[in-house]
Amino acid sequence: MAKIKRNKNGTRKDVIISKAAKLFREKGYNATSMRDLAEHVGVEAASLYNHISSKSEILQEICFKVANEFTSHIEEVYASSTNSIEKIEAILRFHIRQMVDNYEEVYVNDREWKHLSDPYLSNIQNQRRSYRQRIAQIIEEGIRKDEIKSIDAPTAVLIMLHAVSGIESWHRSKRKIPGALLEDNMIMILVDGLRR
Amino acid sequence: MAKIKRNKNGTRKDVIISKAAKLFREKGYNATSMRDLAEHVGVEAASLYNHISSKSEILQEICFKVANEFTSHIEEVYASSTNSIEKIEAILRFHIRQMVDNYEEVYVNDREWKHLSDPYLSNIQNQRRSYRQRIAQIIEEGIRKDEIKSIDAPTAVLIMLHAVSGIESWHRSKRKIPGALLEDNMIMILVDGLRR
DNA sequence: TTTTTTCGCTAACAGCTGTTAGTTTTCCAT
DNA sequence: ATGGAAAACTAACAGCTGTTAGCGAAAAAA
Protein backbone atom coordinates (compact mmCIF):
# COMPACT_ATOMS: atom_id res chain seq x y z
CA MET A 1 0.00 0.00 0.00
CA ALA A 2 2.73 2.44 0.97
CA LYS A 3 5.30 3.40 -1.61
CA ILE A 4 8.86 2.15 -1.60
CA LYS A 5 11.04 4.53 0.38
CA ARG A 6 13.85 5.91 -1.68
CA ASN A 7 17.28 6.49 -0.21
CA LYS A 8 18.66 9.97 -0.65
CA ASN A 9 19.76 10.47 -4.27
CA GLY A 10 18.44 7.09 -5.32
CA THR A 11 15.51 5.89 -7.35
CA ARG A 12 13.07 3.19 -6.27
CA LYS A 13 14.74 0.98 -8.84
CA ASP A 14 18.01 1.38 -6.94
CA VAL A 15 16.31 0.18 -3.78
CA ILE A 16 15.02 -2.91 -5.55
CA ILE A 17 18.41 -3.67 -7.06
CA SER A 18 20.21 -3.33 -3.78
CA LYS A 19 17.77 -5.59 -1.94
CA ALA A 20 18.04 -8.04 -4.83
CA ALA A 21 21.83 -8.04 -4.60
CA LYS A 22 21.58 -9.00 -0.96
CA LEU A 23 19.20 -11.86 -1.67
CA PHE A 24 21.07 -13.06 -4.75
CA ARG A 25 24.21 -13.18 -2.65
CA GLU A 26 22.58 -15.08 0.19
CA LYS A 27 20.53 -17.61 -1.74
CA GLY A 28 21.61 -17.37 -5.34
CA TYR A 29 19.80 -15.92 -8.35
CA ASN A 30 17.63 -18.92 -9.13
CA ALA A 31 16.64 -19.55 -5.53
CA THR A 32 15.44 -15.97 -5.12
CA SER A 33 11.89 -15.52 -6.34
CA MET A 34 10.26 -12.26 -7.29
CA ARG A 35 7.83 -12.80 -4.42
CA ASP A 36 10.79 -13.17 -2.04
CA LEU A 37 12.26 -9.96 -3.32
CA ALA A 38 8.94 -8.15 -3.19
CA GLU A 39 8.46 -9.09 0.43
CA HIS A 40 11.83 -7.68 1.38
CA VAL A 41 11.07 -4.50 -0.50
CA GLY A 42 7.71 -4.30 1.24
CA VAL A 43 5.47 -4.59 -1.76
CA GLU A 44 3.58 -7.13 -3.89
CA ALA A 45 5.52 -8.97 -6.59
CA ALA A 46 3.60 -7.41 -9.45
CA SER A 47 4.43 -3.93 -8.20
CA LEU A 48 8.10 -4.45 -8.86
CA TYR A 49 7.36 -4.33 -12.56
CA ASN A 50 6.54 -0.63 -12.33
CA HIS A 51 10.29 -0.15 -11.85
CA ILE A 52 12.03 -2.97 -13.64
CA SER A 53 11.19 -4.89 -16.76
CA SER A 54 12.29 -8.39 -15.74
CA LYS A 55 14.15 -10.39 -13.13
CA SER A 56 17.11 -10.83 -15.41
CA GLU A 57 17.36 -7.09 -15.94
CA ILE A 58 18.22 -6.83 -12.25
CA LEU A 59 21.06 -9.29 -12.63
CA GLN A 60 22.27 -7.48 -15.74
CA GLU A 61 22.40 -4.14 -13.97
CA ILE A 62 24.30 -5.58 -11.04
CA CYS A 63 26.83 -7.44 -13.17
CA PHE A 64 27.57 -4.70 -15.64
CA LYS A 65 27.82 -1.97 -13.07
CA VAL A 66 30.47 -3.97 -11.23
CA ALA A 67 32.26 -5.24 -14.32
CA ASN A 68 32.52 -1.77 -15.83
CA GLU A 69 34.13 -0.38 -12.70
CA PHE A 70 36.73 -3.11 -12.72
CA THR A 71 37.42 -2.75 -16.40
CA SER A 72 37.91 0.98 -16.28
CA HIS A 73 40.14 0.72 -13.22
CA ILE A 74 42.46 -1.84 -14.73
CA GLU A 75 42.94 0.21 -17.87
CA GLU A 76 43.92 3.15 -15.73
CA VAL A 77 46.47 1.06 -13.85
CA TYR A 78 47.78 -0.52 -17.01
CA ALA A 79 48.46 2.89 -18.53
CA SER A 80 50.21 4.22 -15.44
CA SER A 81 53.99 4.47 -15.31
CA THR A 82 54.75 2.15 -12.42
CA ASN A 83 56.58 -1.17 -12.28
CA SER A 84 54.85 -4.53 -12.51
CA ILE A 85 54.71 -5.29 -8.82
CA GLU A 86 53.20 -1.89 -8.11
CA LYS A 87 50.61 -2.45 -10.79
CA ILE A 88 49.65 -5.83 -9.40
CA GLU A 89 49.46 -4.36 -5.95
CA ALA A 90 47.20 -1.55 -7.14
CA ILE A 91 44.88 -4.01 -8.82
CA LEU A 92 44.75 -6.21 -5.76
CA ARG A 93 44.04 -3.32 -3.44
CA PHE A 94 41.23 -2.11 -5.63
CA HIS A 95 39.74 -5.60 -5.70
CA ILE A 96 39.96 -5.99 -1.97
CA ARG A 97 38.39 -2.60 -1.30
CA GLN A 98 35.57 -3.25 -3.69
CA MET A 99 34.98 -6.60 -2.10
CA VAL A 100 34.95 -5.05 1.35
CA ASP A 101 32.88 -1.95 0.62
CA ASN A 102 30.60 -3.12 -2.15
CA TYR A 103 30.34 -6.72 -1.05
CA GLU A 104 26.89 -7.81 -2.20
CA GLU A 105 27.10 -6.61 -5.76
CA VAL A 106 30.70 -7.62 -6.37
CA TYR A 107 29.99 -11.08 -5.03
CA VAL A 108 26.85 -11.47 -7.12
CA ASN A 109 28.74 -10.43 -10.23
CA ASP A 110 31.34 -13.05 -9.42
CA ARG A 111 29.08 -15.99 -8.66
CA GLU A 112 25.89 -15.44 -10.58
CA TRP A 113 26.94 -14.11 -13.97
CA LYS A 114 26.35 -17.60 -15.37
CA HIS A 115 22.64 -17.01 -15.14
CA LEU A 116 22.67 -14.14 -17.57
CA SER A 117 21.46 -14.98 -21.04
CA ASP A 118 22.74 -13.86 -24.40
CA PRO A 119 23.76 -11.30 -25.52
CA TYR A 120 24.62 -10.27 -21.97
CA LEU A 121 26.19 -13.61 -21.17
CA SER A 122 28.78 -13.52 -23.94
CA ASN A 123 29.35 -9.87 -23.27
CA ILE A 124 30.29 -10.41 -19.63
CA GLN A 125 32.33 -13.48 -20.51
CA ASN A 126 34.40 -11.39 -22.90
CA GLN A 127 34.81 -8.66 -20.35
CA ARG A 128 36.00 -11.14 -17.72
CA ARG A 129 38.37 -12.83 -20.12
CA SER A 130 40.06 -9.65 -21.23
CA TYR A 131 40.33 -8.58 -17.61
CA ARG A 132 42.28 -11.73 -16.80
CA GLN A 133 44.41 -11.28 -19.88
CA ARG A 134 45.37 -7.76 -18.89
CA ILE A 135 46.62 -9.04 -15.54
CA ALA A 136 48.47 -11.91 -17.16
CA GLN A 137 50.09 -9.40 -19.49
CA ILE A 138 51.31 -7.32 -16.57
CA ILE A 139 52.73 -10.41 -14.90
CA GLU A 140 54.52 -11.57 -18.02
CA GLU A 141 56.02 -8.13 -18.42
CA GLY A 142 57.20 -8.37 -14.81
CA ILE A 143 58.81 -11.74 -15.47
CA ARG A 144 60.63 -10.37 -18.49
CA LYS A 145 61.94 -7.47 -16.44
CA ASP A 146 62.93 -9.86 -13.66
CA GLU A 147 60.64 -8.18 -11.14
CA ILE A 148 58.43 -11.22 -10.83
CA LYS A 149 59.55 -14.82 -10.37
CA SER A 150 59.22 -17.13 -13.33
CA ILE A 151 55.78 -18.68 -13.02
CA ASP A 152 52.85 -19.49 -15.25
CA ALA A 153 51.03 -16.18 -15.54
CA PRO A 154 47.48 -17.56 -15.95
CA THR A 155 47.98 -19.61 -12.79
CA ALA A 156 49.06 -16.53 -10.88
CA VAL A 157 46.00 -14.65 -12.14
CA LEU A 158 43.72 -17.44 -11.06
CA ILE A 159 45.20 -17.43 -7.57
CA MET A 160 44.95 -13.69 -7.16
CA LEU A 161 41.41 -13.30 -8.33
CA HIS A 162 39.99 -16.23 -6.44
CA ALA A 163 41.90 -15.47 -3.27
CA VAL A 164 40.31 -12.05 -3.23
CA SER A 165 36.83 -13.42 -3.68
CA GLY A 166 37.42 -15.33 -0.47
CA ILE A 167 36.73 -12.10 1.37
CA GLU A 168 33.25 -13.53 1.42
CA SER A 169 34.24 -15.64 4.44
CA TRP A 170 35.75 -12.62 6.12
CA HIS A 171 32.36 -10.91 5.85
CA ARG A 172 30.59 -13.89 7.30
CA SER A 173 33.00 -14.35 10.20
CA LYS A 174 32.03 -13.22 13.68
CA ARG A 175 35.12 -11.34 14.73
CA LYS A 176 36.47 -9.56 11.70
CA ILE A 177 39.84 -7.90 11.70
CA PRO A 178 39.58 -4.34 10.32
CA GLY A 179 39.31 -4.03 6.54
CA ALA A 180 42.61 -2.17 6.22
CA LEU A 181 44.42 -4.91 8.10
CA LEU A 182 42.82 -7.56 5.94
CA GLU A 183 44.03 -5.67 2.91
CA ASP A 184 47.62 -5.50 4.14
CA ASN A 185 47.70 -9.16 5.10
CA MET A 186 46.41 -10.25 1.74
CA ILE A 187 48.85 -8.04 -0.11
CA MET A 188 51.73 -9.35 1.96
CA ILE A 189 50.95 -12.97 1.24
CA LEU A 190 50.01 -12.63 -2.39
CA VAL A 191 52.66 -10.14 -3.50
CA ASP A 192 55.46 -11.88 -1.63
CA GLY A 193 54.45 -15.04 -3.41
CA LEU A 194 55.02 -13.30 -6.71
CA ARG A 195 58.07 -11.19 -6.03
CA ARG A 196 61.40 -12.42 -7.29
CA MET B 1 13.10 -48.10 -22.29
CA ALA B 2 16.63 -49.42 -21.96
CA LYS B 3 18.19 -49.61 -18.54
CA ILE B 4 20.82 -47.22 -17.28
CA LYS B 5 24.26 -48.60 -18.11
CA ARG B 6 26.35 -49.11 -15.03
CA ASN B 7 30.06 -48.40 -15.01
CA LYS B 8 32.21 -51.24 -13.83
CA ASN B 9 31.98 -51.56 -10.05
CA GLY B 10 29.32 -48.89 -9.85
CA THR B 11 25.61 -48.85 -9.17
CA ARG B 12 23.03 -47.06 -11.30
CA LYS B 13 22.75 -44.58 -8.48
CA ASP B 14 26.43 -43.75 -8.96
CA VAL B 15 25.79 -43.00 -12.61
CA ILE B 16 22.99 -40.62 -11.69
CA ILE B 17 25.08 -38.86 -9.08
CA SER B 18 28.00 -38.39 -11.38
CA LYS B 19 25.86 -36.93 -14.17
CA ALA B 20 24.17 -34.74 -11.58
CA ALA B 21 27.53 -33.48 -10.35
CA LYS B 22 28.39 -32.41 -13.87
CA LEU B 23 25.11 -30.56 -14.32
CA PHE B 24 25.14 -28.99 -10.86
CA ARG B 25 28.62 -27.71 -11.61
CA GLU B 26 27.67 -26.28 -14.98
CA LYS B 27 24.34 -24.69 -14.16
CA GLY B 28 23.97 -24.80 -10.39
CA TYR B 29 21.72 -26.95 -8.23
CA ASN B 30 18.57 -24.90 -8.54
CA ALA B 31 18.89 -24.41 -12.27
CA THR B 32 19.19 -28.15 -12.86
CA SER B 33 15.80 -29.83 -13.06
CA MET B 34 15.12 -33.50 -12.57
CA ARG B 35 13.93 -33.61 -16.17
CA ASP B 36 17.27 -32.13 -17.27
CA LEU B 37 19.12 -34.74 -15.31
CA ALA B 38 16.91 -37.55 -16.55
CA GLU B 39 17.57 -36.57 -20.15
CA HIS B 40 21.33 -36.73 -19.63
CA VAL B 41 21.00 -40.11 -17.96
CA GLY B 42 18.83 -41.32 -20.84
CA VAL B 43 15.65 -41.97 -18.93
CA GLU B 44 12.36 -40.35 -17.87
CA ALA B 45 12.39 -38.14 -14.79
CA ALA B 46 10.15 -40.43 -12.76
CA SER B 47 12.49 -43.35 -13.33
CA LEU B 48 15.25 -41.67 -11.37
CA TYR B 49 13.21 -42.25 -8.24
CA ASN B 50 13.83 -45.98 -8.49
CA HIS B 51 17.40 -45.18 -7.48
CA ILE B 52 17.30 -42.05 -5.38
CA SER B 53 14.74 -40.73 -2.96
CA SER B 54 14.93 -37.01 -3.74
CA LYS B 55 16.86 -34.36 -5.57
CA SER B 56 18.40 -33.10 -2.37
CA GLU B 57 19.67 -36.57 -1.53
CA ILE B 58 21.89 -36.29 -4.59
CA LEU B 59 23.39 -33.06 -3.33
CA GLN B 60 23.85 -34.55 0.11
CA GLU B 61 25.75 -37.54 -1.21
CA ILE B 62 28.03 -35.36 -3.30
CA CYS B 63 28.78 -32.92 -0.53
CA PHE B 64 29.39 -35.42 2.24
CA LYS B 65 31.50 -37.73 0.15
CA VAL B 66 33.82 -34.86 -0.69
CA ALA B 67 33.76 -33.28 2.75
CA ASN B 68 34.58 -36.55 4.47
CA GLU B 69 37.62 -37.12 2.31
CA PHE B 70 38.96 -33.69 3.11
CA THR B 71 38.26 -34.05 6.80
CA SER B 72 39.97 -37.38 7.14
CA HIS B 73 42.97 -36.20 5.14
CA ILE B 74 43.54 -33.11 7.22
CA GLU B 75 43.44 -35.09 10.45
CA GLU B 76 46.08 -37.40 9.04
CA VAL B 77 48.30 -34.46 8.13
CA TYR B 78 47.70 -32.75 11.44
CA ALA B 79 48.83 -35.83 13.32
CA SER B 80 51.97 -36.30 11.23
CA SER B 81 55.34 -35.27 12.56
CA THR B 82 56.36 -32.65 10.03
CA ASN B 83 56.89 -28.91 10.35
CA SER B 84 54.19 -26.35 9.68
CA ILE B 85 55.23 -25.44 6.18
CA GLU B 86 55.32 -29.10 5.18
CA LYS B 87 51.86 -29.59 6.61
CA ILE B 88 50.44 -26.63 4.75
CA GLU B 89 52.08 -27.86 1.59
CA ALA B 90 50.61 -31.33 2.02
CA ILE B 91 47.14 -29.90 2.54
CA LEU B 92 47.47 -27.65 -0.48
CA ARG B 93 48.71 -30.46 -2.71
CA PHE B 94 45.84 -32.66 -1.66
CA HIS B 95 43.38 -29.88 -2.40
CA ILE B 96 44.86 -29.20 -5.79
CA ARG B 97 44.88 -32.86 -6.78
CA GLN B 98 41.31 -33.35 -5.67
CA MET B 99 40.30 -30.27 -7.59
CA VAL B 100 42.10 -31.52 -10.69
CA ASP B 101 41.05 -35.18 -10.58
CA ASN B 102 37.65 -35.00 -8.96
CA TYR B 103 36.67 -31.63 -10.32
CA GLU B 104 32.90 -31.83 -10.65
CA GLU B 105 32.11 -33.11 -7.19
CA VAL B 106 34.66 -31.00 -5.33
CA TYR B 107 33.40 -27.92 -7.08
CA VAL B 108 29.77 -28.73 -6.37
CA ASN B 109 30.56 -29.27 -2.71
CA ASP B 110 32.25 -25.90 -2.65
CA ARG B 111 29.63 -23.83 -4.41
CA GLU B 112 26.31 -25.52 -3.81
CA TRP B 113 26.36 -26.66 -0.18
CA LYS B 114 24.16 -23.66 0.65
CA HIS B 115 21.25 -25.43 -0.94
CA LEU B 116 21.29 -28.29 1.51
CA SER B 117 18.65 -28.15 4.19
CA ASP B 118 18.86 -29.00 7.86
CA PRO B 119 20.16 -31.14 9.46
CA TYR B 120 22.59 -31.58 6.57
CA LEU B 121 23.14 -27.87 6.19
CA SER B 122 24.35 -27.27 9.74
CA ASN B 123 26.33 -30.47 9.58
CA ILE B 124 28.32 -29.40 6.56
CA GLN B 125 28.74 -25.91 7.93
CA ASN B 126 30.30 -27.34 11.06
CA GLN B 127 32.54 -29.59 9.04
CA ARG B 128 33.74 -26.69 6.91
CA ARG B 129 34.33 -24.48 9.90
CA SER B 130 36.42 -27.00 11.78
CA TYR B 131 38.39 -27.68 8.63
CA ARG B 132 39.33 -24.01 8.38
CA GLN B 133 40.15 -23.93 12.06
CA ARG B 134 42.53 -26.85 11.75
CA ILE B 135 44.46 -25.02 9.04
CA ALA B 136 44.48 -21.81 11.06
CA GLN B 137 45.83 -23.81 13.99
CA ILE B 138 48.69 -25.16 11.90
CA ILE B 139 49.52 -21.67 10.67
CA GLU B 140 49.49 -20.20 14.15
CA GLU B 141 51.78 -22.96 15.33
CA GLY B 142 54.09 -22.12 12.43
CA ILE B 143 54.11 -18.46 13.40
CA ARG B 144 55.00 -19.33 16.98
CA LYS B 145 57.88 -21.49 15.80
CA ASP B 146 59.00 -18.73 13.43
CA GLU B 147 58.53 -20.90 10.36
CA ILE B 148 55.73 -18.74 9.02
CA LYS B 149 55.68 -14.98 8.79
CA SER B 150 53.52 -13.09 11.22
CA ILE B 151 50.15 -12.76 9.53
CA ASP B 152 46.50 -13.11 10.43
CA ALA B 153 45.90 -16.84 10.22
CA PRO B 154 42.22 -16.75 9.17
CA THR B 155 43.17 -14.45 6.30
CA ALA B 156 45.85 -16.87 5.15
CA VAL B 157 43.36 -19.73 5.29
CA LEU B 158 40.86 -17.79 3.24
CA ILE B 159 43.47 -17.07 0.59
CA MET B 160 44.66 -20.67 0.38
CA LEU B 161 41.27 -22.26 0.11
CA HIS B 162 39.80 -19.84 -2.35
CA ALA B 163 42.91 -19.73 -4.49
CA VAL B 164 42.67 -23.47 -4.92
CA SER B 165 39.03 -23.35 -5.89
CA GLY B 166 40.14 -21.14 -8.77
CA ILE B 167 41.31 -24.28 -10.53
CA GLU B 168 37.85 -24.08 -11.98
CA SER B 169 39.17 -21.58 -14.54
CA TRP B 170 42.09 -23.84 -15.32
CA HIS B 171 39.62 -26.56 -16.23
CA ARG B 172 37.66 -24.24 -18.45
CA SER B 173 40.68 -22.83 -20.24
CA LYS B 174 41.56 -23.96 -23.75
CA ARG B 175 45.22 -24.70 -23.44
CA LYS B 176 45.84 -26.10 -19.99
CA ILE B 177 49.31 -26.52 -18.61
CA PRO B 178 49.74 -30.06 -17.20
CA GLY B 179 48.19 -30.70 -13.79
CA ALA B 180 51.53 -31.37 -12.12
CA LEU B 181 52.90 -28.07 -13.33
CA LEU B 182 49.81 -26.25 -12.13
CA GLU B 183 50.34 -27.83 -8.75
CA ASP B 184 53.97 -26.73 -8.50
CA ASN B 185 53.19 -23.20 -9.60
CA MET B 186 50.43 -22.82 -7.07
CA ILE B 187 52.57 -24.21 -4.27
CA MET B 188 55.41 -21.89 -5.19
CA ILE B 189 53.26 -18.77 -5.06
CA LEU B 190 51.18 -19.65 -2.04
CA VAL B 191 53.87 -21.19 0.16
CA ASP B 192 56.44 -18.49 -0.63
CA GLY B 193 53.84 -15.98 0.42
CA LEU B 194 53.67 -17.64 3.80
CA ARG B 195 57.27 -18.57 4.47
CA ARG B 196 59.24 -16.38 6.81
C1' DT C 1 10.51 -72.44 -17.92
C1' DT C 2 8.38 -70.11 -14.22
C1' DT C 3 8.59 -66.86 -10.58
C1' DT C 4 10.21 -62.78 -8.52
C1' DT C 5 12.52 -58.61 -8.40
C1' DT C 6 14.21 -54.63 -10.55
C1' DC C 7 13.42 -50.81 -13.23
C1' DG C 8 11.44 -48.23 -16.93
C1' DC C 9 7.16 -46.02 -18.65
C1' DT C 10 2.87 -42.77 -18.72
C1' DA C 11 -0.18 -39.75 -16.36
C1' DA C 12 -1.04 -36.83 -13.00
C1' DC C 13 -0.67 -33.86 -8.69
C1' DA C 14 -0.16 -29.53 -6.19
C1' DG C 15 2.69 -25.81 -5.66
C1' DC C 16 5.65 -22.39 -7.31
C1' DT C 17 7.64 -19.49 -11.16
C1' DG C 18 7.96 -14.92 -13.86
C1' DT C 19 4.93 -11.92 -15.83
C1' DT C 20 0.61 -9.30 -17.65
C1' DA C 21 -3.88 -6.80 -17.49
C1' DG C 22 -6.84 -3.98 -15.35
C1' DT C 23 -8.05 -1.23 -11.43
C1' DT C 24 -7.45 1.66 -7.46
C1' DT C 25 -4.73 4.39 -4.44
C1' DT C 26 -1.09 7.80 -3.33
C1' DC C 27 1.12 11.95 -3.93
C1' DC C 28 3.12 15.85 -6.33
C1' DA C 29 2.32 20.00 -9.30
C1' DT C 30 -0.75 23.14 -10.49
C1' DA D 1 -8.49 21.79 -3.89
C1' DT D 2 -7.86 19.10 -8.06
C1' DG D 3 -6.12 16.78 -12.23
C1' DG D 4 -2.70 13.77 -13.69
C1' DA D 5 1.15 10.93 -13.21
C1' DA D 6 3.34 7.40 -10.55
C1' DA D 7 2.98 3.37 -8.31
C1' DA D 8 0.50 0.31 -5.56
C1' DC D 9 -3.11 -3.42 -5.59
C1' DT D 10 -5.79 -8.05 -7.01
C1' DA D 11 -6.47 -11.74 -10.10
C1' DA D 12 -4.96 -14.55 -13.29
C1' DC D 13 -2.02 -16.90 -16.96
C1' DA D 14 0.83 -20.65 -18.75
C1' DG D 15 4.72 -23.17 -17.90
C1' DC D 16 7.81 -25.50 -15.02
C1' DT D 17 9.00 -27.83 -10.50
C1' DG D 18 9.76 -32.20 -7.58
C1' DT D 19 7.38 -36.15 -6.72
C1' DT D 20 3.83 -40.14 -6.50
C1' DA D 21 0.87 -44.00 -8.21
C1' DG D 22 0.07 -47.62 -11.04
C1' DC D 23 1.34 -50.59 -14.75
C1' DG D 24 4.08 -53.29 -17.98
C1' DA D 25 8.63 -54.92 -19.57
C1' DA D 26 13.12 -56.69 -18.79
C1' DA D 27 16.44 -59.24 -16.20
C1' DA D 28 17.71 -62.35 -12.39
C1' DA D 29 16.68 -66.19 -9.49
C1' DA D 30 14.31 -70.40 -8.92
Side-chain angles (χ1 to χ4, degrees):
Chain A
M1 221 57 165
K3 292 201 179 180
I4 299 174
K5 280 186 192 154
R6 284 175 304 182
N7 316 358
K8 205 174 176 182
N9 291 341
T11 67
R12 276 169 243 264
K13 183 169 178 175
D14 294 335
V15 175
I16 293 172
I17 289 180
S18 122
K19 294 270 182 196
K22 183 162 178 262
L23 291 172
F24 291 174
R25 193 260 306 162
E26 282 169 6
K27 326 204 296 171
Y29 176 76
N30 272 290
T32 303
S33 74
M34 293 303 275
R35 285 166 180 84
D36 264 356
L37 174 55
E39 195 176 334
H40 280 81
V41 171
V43 105
E44 291 298 317
S47 308
L48 297 172
Y49 289 83
N50 284 316
H51 306 280
I52 53 145
S53 70
S54 69
K55 185 184 180 186
S56 77
E57 190 209 357
I58 302 178
L59 187 59
Q60 286 156 29
E61 298 237 356
I62 294 173
C63 290
F64 284 98
K65 188 180 137 217
V66 172
N68 290 338
E69 276 175 35
F70 277 95
T71 296
S72 77
H73 179 264
I74 205 172
E75 292 308 327
E76 195 182 304
V77 169
Y78 183 71
S80 72
S81 53
T82 51
N83 68 37
S84 309
I85 288 281
E86 286 166 336
K87 280 182 180 145
I88 293 292
E89 187 170 326
I91 293 166
L92 276 172
R93 286 193 188 271
F94 183 76
H95 256 269
I96 295 168
R97 280 190 204 139
Q98 287 290 309
M99 193 68 185
V100 167
D101 300 339
N102 195 17
Y103 174 37
E104 318 280 1
E105 307 203 347
V106 173
Y107 183 80
V108 167
N109 169 60
D110 216 55
R111 301 290 259 241
E112 308 291 332
W113 61 265
K114 292 189 197 189
H115 299 110
L116 290 170
S117 39
D118 273 325
Y120 305 99
L121 179 61
S122 4
N123 196 317
I124 204 106
Q125 281 173 324
N126 288 340
Q127 212 162 334
R128 293 174 70 87
R129 184 165 34 79
S130 56
Y131 189 82
R132 289 192 304 268
Q133 283 175 350
R134 263 281 182 267
I135 303 183
Q137 207 178 342
I138 295 173
I139 292 177
E140 270 155 9
E141 220 171 282
I143 297 175
R144 232 176 296 120
K145 292 186 187 160
D146 221 37
E147 293 164 12
I148 290 180
K149 73 169 68 130
S150 178
I151 44 163
D152 180 58
T155 304
V157 172
L158 157 177
I159 290 178
M160 282 176 43
L161 295 184
H162 284 81
V164 164
S165 86
I167 294 177
E168 167 219 348
S169 9
W170 173 81
H171 266 108
R172 282 191 289 126
S173 75
K174 305 262 153 87
R175 275 184 286 186
K176 308 191 223 280
I177 61 171
L181 191 53
L182 175 79
E183 190 178 320
D184 289 339
N185 269 279
M186 293 193 74
I187 294 290
M188 202 192 314
I189 298 173
L190 290 172
V191 172
D192 280 10
L194 290 181
R195 194 177 271 128
R196 171 134 190 74
Chain B
M1 221 60 166
K3 292 202 176 178
I4 299 174
K5 279 186 192 153
R6 285 176 305 184
N7 315 356
K8 203 174 177 182
N9 292 340
T11 66
R12 277 170 244 264
K13 183 170 176 174
D14 294 335
V15 175
I16 292 172
I17 289 179
S18 120
K19 294 270 182 197
K22 183 162 179 264
L23 290 172
F24 290 173
R25 193 260 305 162
E26 284 170 4
K27 324 203 298 170
Y29 177 75
N30 273 290
T32 303
S33 75
M34 293 303 276
R35 286 165 181 87
D36 264 356
L37 173 55
E39 195 176 335
H40 281 81
V41 171
V43 104
E44 291 297 318
S47 307
L48 297 171
Y49 289 83
N50 285 315
H51 306 281
I52 53 146
S53 70
S54 69
K55 184 185 180 186
S56 77
E57 191 209 355
I58 302 178
L59 186 59
Q60 287 156 30
E61 298 237 354
I62 294 173
C63 289
F64 284 99
K65 189 180 136 221
V66 172
N68 290 338
E69 276 175 36
F70 277 96
T71 296
S72 76
H73 179 263
I74 205 172
E75 291 308 326
E76 196 181 303
V77 169
Y78 183 71
S80 73
S81 54
T82 50
N83 68 36
S84 310
I85 288 281
E86 284 165 336
K87 280 181 181 145
I88 294 291
E89 187 170 328
I91 293 166
L92 276 173
R93 285 194 189 272
F94 183 76
H95 256 269
I96 295 168
R97 278 189 206 139
Q98 286 291 308
M99 193 69 185
V100 167
D101 300 340
N102 196 16
Y103 173 38
E104 318 279 1
E105 307 203 346
V106 173
Y107 183 80
V108 168
N109 169 60
D110 216 56
R111 301 289 261 239
E112 307 291 330
W113 61 266
K114 292 189 196 189
H115 299 110
L116 290 170
S117 40
D118 273 324
Y120 305 98
L121 179 60
S122 6
N123 196 318
I124 204 107
Q125 280 173 324
N126 288 340
Q127 213 162 333
R128 293 174 71 87
R129 184 165 35 80
S130 56
Y131 189 82
R132 287 193 303 267
Q133 283 174 350
R134 263 280 183 270
I135 303 182
Q137 208 177 342
I138 295 173
I139 292 177
E140 271 155 8
E141 221 170 281
I143 297 175
R144 232 176 296 120
K145 292 184 186 159
D146 221 37
E147 293 164 13
I148 290 179
K149 73 169 68 131
S150 179
I151 43 162
D152 180 60
T155 304
V157 172
L158 157 176
I159 290 178
M160 282 175 45
L161 296 184
H162 283 81
V164 164
S165 86
I167 293 178
E168 169 219 347
S169 11
W170 174 82
H171 266 109
R172 282 190 290 124
S173 74
K174 305 265 155 85
R175 275 183 286 187
K176 307 190 225 277
I177 60 171
L181 191 54
L182 175 78
E183 190 178 319
D184 290 338
N185 269 278
M186 292 192 74
I187 295 289
M188 200 194 314
I189 297 173
L190 290 171
V191 172
D192 280 9
L194 290 180
R195 193 177 273 126
R196 171 136 188 73

